[in-house]
Amino acid sequence: MEYRSADPDLDLPSGRLDEYLLEVTARFDPGRVAVLDRSTGRSVTYGDLPGEVSRLAGALQRWGISPSDVVAVHLPNGVEYAVLALALSRCGAAMTPVSIVGTAEEISRQLTATAAVAVVTDVRVAAVGVAAAEAAGLALSRVVMVGDDLSAAGDCSAEVTSWTSLAGGDGPDDVAGDVPVDPAAAAACLPMSSGTTGLPKPVWLTHRALTANVVQFASALDWPAEQTTLAFLPFSHVYAMSTVLFGGLARGDTIVTMPRFHVADAVDVVEQEQVTMAFIVPPVATILAAHPSADPDRLHSLQLVISGAAPLDPAVARAIAVRLGVDVLQGYGLTEMAPVTHVMRPGTRMPLDSVGTAVPGVVFRVVDPVSGVDVDPVEQGRTAPGELWVRGPNMMSGYVGAPEATAVIIDEDGWLHTGDMVTVDAAGCVTIVARLKELLKCHGYQVAPAELEALLREYPGVSDAAVVGVPVEDSTDERPYALVVRGVSAGSGPSEEGLLQYVADRTARYKHLAGVTFVDAVPRDPSGKMRRRDLSALVPVTSVPAR
């Protein structure tokens, strides 16, 4: 059975991402602040945003950025992020968003996979950005650095390009003419995702997919425009990029950015800026529900909290609603869908453990993963579990350079197999109950076991390795835990401490191993494929502490 949104059909934008957003933002008060960066004090109004985008787009074009080029954006949340994203769109180029907590090794792989021609980084993360660019073979002149103190680039400071010199040049203010791109085919953004299996891969998100999802989410949310929205979730994550950055601009919000979440700082920002809406992840929800620093009297301006990226405990959602007097909604999506497919609706009585109903234009099925037959619908209660299949105008075109991986996740009929097991009730509310896919979720980030396994196998004395998720105490998160086979001639072999440090030195913090157990063999079938369902029995712990 196909389930459809009960919302009316939408007229979706037909132009580039920047064309749509700047057309919409022109309707708002030009004196209203569009983006305020609390870490630098820099801001841009809706009246000034088009000019900033236009000038930067012209500068990028003169610098050599052409249609179909890919530029890596290695920036913390802020004004520059918003202006650069729209300027690249105006040039017909694509951005590949890079996590500021990634290591140089991880980022260099992304630069190579996306064929990025340049990197825009920030003085606060410059050492990693420059090292990644060098490792990927980019000339240092193709590294643009935001910030006043270019010495953060070390010995390379004289070779990198200053954002100020690039964006503040004396050339013409605009790109000459319209850039001829097909919004339904040209990539606007290439985020990374592991899909349902394997290593992270670039996801081809077109201008149409991104603009469609902004419109879909706004229509489903139907929240009054011009909110003041807290933006600490990294824009490098498509959840925040779509719902907070692009969605916030389309709503006319004042987007108040922070480089990262710290409870005391966040409370200060909410109180001082009178923040009305916040997008969060479950670990932050737990803090809002009980942390002493999350003083309800100081958070009284908050009206709406939306959680995504991982399942939210209904008890935590209720605790936030009661403690802060706010609406708490949960949504669901995946990078391959740009990303939102389902969301709870304000003012409704949707089950708190659900992720709500489909956004307009999204169609979904619930399919038995063994038989391939749709699970029977129900008139009351919930269906039996099945895998969630989705499709809609916000779907990716595929994985870059990975047609086999694309064929695994998108079938011949155009259904995207999410790898998530769900139930659905008679009203179309979906509840996530399990995962078929191998991915782990930690602090809202994807952790691909295959990536860590490949890294572990490079360590001297390791002949095989498997990584499994172990629940975090008092959380819905998982942390990766390694099962390692020592080589026959490894002598005393690798130690747990050595492996933990090896992985920690080469990966972002959310990928750090919670522990290592040495085993005689990793369970595999006769073809050599790992039997992941048998791994948990080899792990000696049932939970691990939060970091």
Side-chain angles (χ1 to χ4, degrees):
M1 173 180 173
E2 294 186 8
Y3 296 85
R4 297 177 179 272
S5 172
D7 302 287
D9 290 338
L10 300 172
D11 291 327
L12 298 176
S14 58
R16 296 186 313 261
L17 175 66
D18 65 287
E19 289 178 310
Y20 163 67
L21 287 176
L22 291 178
E23 178 185 348
V24 172
T25 57
R27 306 169 191 167
F28 304 129
D29 176 1
R32 180 175 175 82
V33 173
V35 183
L36 168 63
D37 185 342
R38 281 281 303 207
S39 65
T40 65
R42 180 158 154 40
S43 65
V44 63
T45 64
Y46 279 101
D48 290 339
L49 182 62
E52 293 223 16
V53 171
S54 178
R55 282 189 291 275
L56 181 58
L60 289 169
Q61 191 179 60
R62 294 190 300 275
W63 194 54
I65 299 301
S66 305
S68 302
D69 279 345
V70 178
V71 175
V73 180
H74 181 233
L75 296 174
N77 292 359
V79 172
E80 290 82 7
Y81 209 117
V83 174
L84 178 60
L86 298 187
L88 288 171
S89 169
R90 187 155 189 165
C91 292
M95 63 182 290
T96 184
V98 177
S99 172
I100 61 169
V101 299
T103 66
E105 186 174 339
E106 292 170 316
I107 295 169
S108 68
R109 288 198 295 267
Q110 180 173 345
L111 301 182
T112 301
T114 58
V117 301
V119 179
V120 181
T121 188
D122 185 279
V123 293
R124 289 166 285 184
V125 290
V128 174
V130 169
E134 288 186 299
L138 287 177
L140 289 173
S141 61
R142 305 308 287 176
V143 177
V144 179
M145 191 171 301
V146 175
D148 296 328
D149 185 9
L150 297 190
S151 65
D155 295 338
C156 308
S157 59
E159 299 178 62
V160 300
T161 300
S162 161
W163 171 276
T164 302
S165 65
L166 175 69
D170 297 325
D173 282 349
D174 208 350
V175 176
D178 287 330
V179 177
V181 300
D182 179 357
C189 185
L190 301 178
M192 302 296 286
S193 173
S194 298
T196 55
T197 187
L199 298 172
K201 302 168 283 292
V203 176
W204 188 284
L205 294 180
T206 64
H207 294 262
R208 178 173 172 79
L210 287 166
T211 56
N213 204 232
V214 169
V215 174
Q216 289 170 308
F217 183 71
S219 176
L221 192 62
D222 194 27
W223 194 251
E226 301 185 4
Q227 300 292 316
T228 300
T229 300
L230 185 63
F232 61 83
L233 297 177
F235 293 156
S236 59
H237 194 300
V238 71
Y239 163 34
M241 180 190 298
S242 180
T243 63
V244 184
L245 178 56
F246 299 153
L249 292 175
R251 292 187 299 267
D253 295 356
T254 291
I255 305 166
V256 184
T257 70
M258 300 174 62
R260 63 184 59 83
F261 179 81
H262 182 276
V263 59
D265 293 341
V267 170
D268 285 345
V269 171
V270 170
E271 183 178 43
Q272 294 166 17
E273 303 298 335
Q274 290 296 284
V275 168
T276 57
M277 183 161 61
F279 290 78
I280 65 171
V281 290
V284 173
T286 302
I287 291 172
L288 292 178
H291 199 286
S293 295
D295 182 353
D297 290 337
R298 299 184 63 195
L299 299 174
H300 65 85
S301 63
L302 268 180
Q303 301 171 27
L304 180 64
V305 172
I306 302 174
S307 181
L312 177 64
D313 186 334
V316 173
R318 280 190 290 269
I320 295 173
V322 171
R323 188 181 192 209
L324 303 184
V326 299
D327 280 343
V328 180
L329 308 181
Q330 182 173 196
Y332 170 84
L334 58 165
T335 304
E336 290 80 357
M337 292 297 288
V340 183
T341 65
H342 294 73
V343 68
M344 296 171 66
R345 311 304 166 89
T348 64
R349 290 187 170 272
M350 293 183 177
L352 280 178
D353 62 345
S354 81
V355 294
T357 55
V359 300
V362 165
V363 184
F364 70 95
R365 294 165 58 189
V366 180
V367 181
D368 185 300
V370 177
S371 67
V373 175
D374 286 24
V375 170
D376 290 335
V378 294
E379 295 183 359
Q380 58 182 4
R382 297 177 178 179
T383 65
E387 184 183 8
L388 179 65
W389 293 9
V390 295
R391 66 183 180 192
N394 49 317
M395 191 163 73
M396 71 169 181
S397 298
Y399 296 118
V400 177
E404 299 86 357
T406 302
V408 167
I409 197 170
I410 301 177
D411 65 27
E412 294 179 351
D413 296 320
W415 291 101
L416 190 147
H417 300 202
T418 68
D420 286 309
M421 294 290 288
V422 306
T423 61
V424 58
D425 66 17
C429 282
V430 168
T431 300
I432 311 298
V433 296
R435 281 206 305 274
L436 284 175
K437 55 191 176 185
E438 299 169 2
L439 291 181
L440 316 179
K441 283 291 187 75
C442 187
H443 292 289
Y445 291 99
Q446 292 181 344
V447 180
E451 179 184 5
L452 298 180
E453 289 159 358
L455 188 59
L456 287 165
R457 292 186 194 112
E458 295 174 359
Y459 194 86
V462 172
S463 67
D464 201 359
V467 172
V468 62
V470 177
V472 174
E473 295 172 356
D474 301 320
S475 172
T476 57
D477 271 2
E478 296 173 291
R479 288 183 61 191
Y481 192 101
L483 301 169
V484 173
V485 181
R486 290 187 172 109
V488 174
S489 59
S492 61
S495 67
E496 178 179 16
E497 294 77 11
L499 290 169
L500 292 176
Q501 191 62 53
Y502 182 76
V503 171
D505 288 344
R506 289 162 177 79
T507 62
R509 190 166 183 264
Y510 62 87
K511 299 179 186 178
H512 293 182
L513 297 174
V516 174
T517 291
F518 295 99
V519 295
D520 294 332
V522 170
R524 298 182 180 275
D525 64 22
S527 69
K529 185 175 181 180
M530 192 181 299
R531 299 201 309 269
R532 292 197 177 273
R533 64 183 179 276
D534 297 334
L535 295 177
S536 296
L538 301 177
V539 178
V541 296
T542 56
S543 66
V544 293
R547 273 191 289 264

